[in-house]
Amino acid sequence: MKAFVVEKYGKDGARAADVPEPTVGDRDVLVRVSATSINPLDKMVRNGEFKQLLKYQAPFVLGHDVAGVVTRVGSAVHSFKAGDEVYARPRDLRIGTFAESIAIDVDDVAPKPASLTFEEAAAVPLVALAAWQILVDRARVKPGQKVLVHAGAGGLGSTVIQLAVHLGATVATTTNTDTEKLVRSLGADIVVDYTKEDFSKVLSGYDLVLDSVGGANLEKSLTVLKPGGLAIGVVGPPDAGFAKQLGAPGFMGLVMNALSRKVRKRAKSLGVRYEFFFMQANGSQLRKLGALYDSGQLRPVIDTTFPFDQTLEAMAYVEQGRPKAGKVVVSMAPDSN
């Protein structure tokens, strides 16, 4: 089958290839890919940024999001059958959605939201799971709390805004002039145009900040939190919890903590907290999220759709910072360009 594989780590390490059809284990669901989408994580994995923690064996197929149709199930699978429309974020070390088919552990799979097209559904799994795990599992956001979401027009930011609003939070976001109208339509209560003003000068007393920018932006984010507030970073720096989540040896936790020592020390001096976040595959959470998409509480935001044979061009488009808002999708449909 056709796929896009990482042959070696680095910017030029991915290429189109013919690879064997996936092997279907007892607990696997074989999915014919209808659409996938591009995530920053694809670039990070291709470049080997997590190679000490996620030990992929090259060549391996890239891609973390999928929507498609079940073609076969393993002998221990009873919740899905051939012909079912599904979506998923396959677990780490079993990724590979930039391909015509993928075998996925049944625990990572959920029925595709009926109201979404395959292309829309493919834009959802990773960012929706991240939003749920940040807001519900990690921060336990309650009605009336204040949440700041950076880069609110992005794939993750646009999803977090909507879910935070659904949970009853007051939501502020940073964006640019071109996308201010979009983030307001998603439910943002306060919009800071970062091209015109500094969010740290106009916001204060926040319970949670989600930072997907890093660097100086993360350090300034600590200052808008109320005492005991939490800043969650999705681009780093990592901490010991990340190493523990991936089952890494104990010394890797010390390494991760060293990388985040500066920001954690700064947070402590301000009476707030910093944590790194790395999402996990979870089919049962995707079922709950699917209901929110079908009820209209959440909606995907899509920037552009590329045809499958232009998957590497789609990745380059994202890396160059060209998307204006939302996700970049890759479709198997012949007319997707």
Side-chain angles (χ1 to χ4, degrees):
M1 68 175 183
K2 295 178 181 177
F4 289 87
V5 304
V6 175
E7 220 170 23
K8 60 182 180 180
Y9 286 126
K11 186 170 183 179
D12 301 319
R15 67 174 181 87
D18 284 315
V19 301
E21 291 278 341
T23 301
V24 181
D26 291 346
R27 292 182 44 77
D28 288 350
V29 175
L30 184 64
V31 177
R32 184 179 71 245
V33 178
S34 297
T36 180
S37 67
I38 311 295
N39 292 286
L41 184 57
D42 298 312
K43 179 194 78 169
M44 298 167 84
V45 169
R46 181 204 64 195
N47 290 352
E49 293 185 27
F50 300 128
K51 63 184 177 182
Q52 299 301 323
L53 296 169
L54 296 173
K55 297 186 181 298
Y56 290 100
Q57 299 296 316
F60 62 92
V61 183
L62 198 56
H64 292 81
D65 276 326
V66 65
V69 179
V70 175
T71 55
R72 188 151 55 97
V73 299
S75 59
V77 175
H78 307 293
S79 50
F80 295 98
K81 64 184 185 306
D84 286 349
E85 297 181 350
V86 296
Y87 75 147
R89 190 290 206 190
R91 63 189 56 187
D92 298 310
L93 302 180
R94 292 202 62 183
I95 64 169
T97 63
F98 295 172
E100 292 180 304
S101 288
I102 179 173
I104 311 171
D105 188 290
V106 66
D107 287 344
D108 303 343
V109 181
K112 179 183 76 67
S115 62
L116 302 185
T117 65
F118 283 113
E119 287 75 21
E120 289 171 334
V124 165
L126 187 148
V127 293
L129 284 170
W132 184 276
Q133 290 166 18
I134 289 167
L135 296 174
V136 178
D137 296 345
R138 186 77 70 93
R140 296 183 174 86
V141 169
K142 303 289 192 299
Q145 289 190 317
K146 294 168 65 176
V147 176
L148 168 58
V149 183
H150 286 297
L156 177 60
S158 61
T159 310
V160 174
I161 288 172
Q162 295 177 78
L163 185 58
V165 169
H166 172 70
L167 294 171
T170 296
V171 181
T173 191
T174 57
T175 194
N176 61 33
T177 310
D178 292 341
T179 49
E180 180 175 345
K181 186 175 179 181
L182 168 68
V183 296
R184 289 194 186 280
S185 76
L186 298 174
D189 300 287
I190 301 165
V191 179
V192 179
D193 185 339
Y194 64 78
T195 68
K196 297 177 180 176
E197 57 185 342
D198 182 342
F199 73 90
S200 65
K201 299 287 196 294
V202 294
L203 302 177
S204 62
Y206 278 73
D207 297 275
L208 173 69
V209 177
L210 173 62
D211 177 71
S212 57
V213 181
N217 195 79
L218 172 58
E219 294 199 24
K220 284 200 295 185
S221 294
L222 300 175
T223 69
V224 306
L225 289 167
K226 73 178 190 181
L230 174 63
I232 290 181
V234 295
V235 295
D239 57 18
F242 176 44
K244 183 178 180 182
Q245 178 181 326
L246 296 182
F251 78 90
M252 287 303 298
L254 298 176
V255 173
M256 298 295 108
N257 262 354
L259 293 172
S260 57
R261 181 175 291 124
K262 179 183 174 185
V263 68
R264 289 185 296 106
K265 184 178 180 181
R266 175 63 174 152
K268 187 176 182 180
S269 73
L270 293 168
V272 300
R273 295 168 292 144
Y274 166 75
E275 294 177 4
F276 178 70
F277 172 82
F278 191 80
M279 59 80 56
Q280 293 178 289
N282 191 312
S284 64
Q285 289 180 349
L286 280 178
R287 288 176 182 266
K288 296 174 183 176
L289 287 156
L292 294 178
Y293 282 95
D294 280 339
S295 68
Q297 299 296 312
L298 303 177
R299 64 179 173 92
V301 178
I302 295 176
D303 178 271
T304 312
T305 302
F306 284 76
F308 178 63
D309 62 2
Q310 292 181 22
T311 298
L312 296 183
E313 288 85 346
M315 282 192 69
Y317 179 85
V318 173
E319 283 185 72
Q320 292 159 8
R322 294 171 64 189
K324 291 182 173 62
K327 294 290 295 289
V328 170
V329 171
V330 172
S331 175
M332 290 292 189
D335 60 349
S336 58
N337 58 347

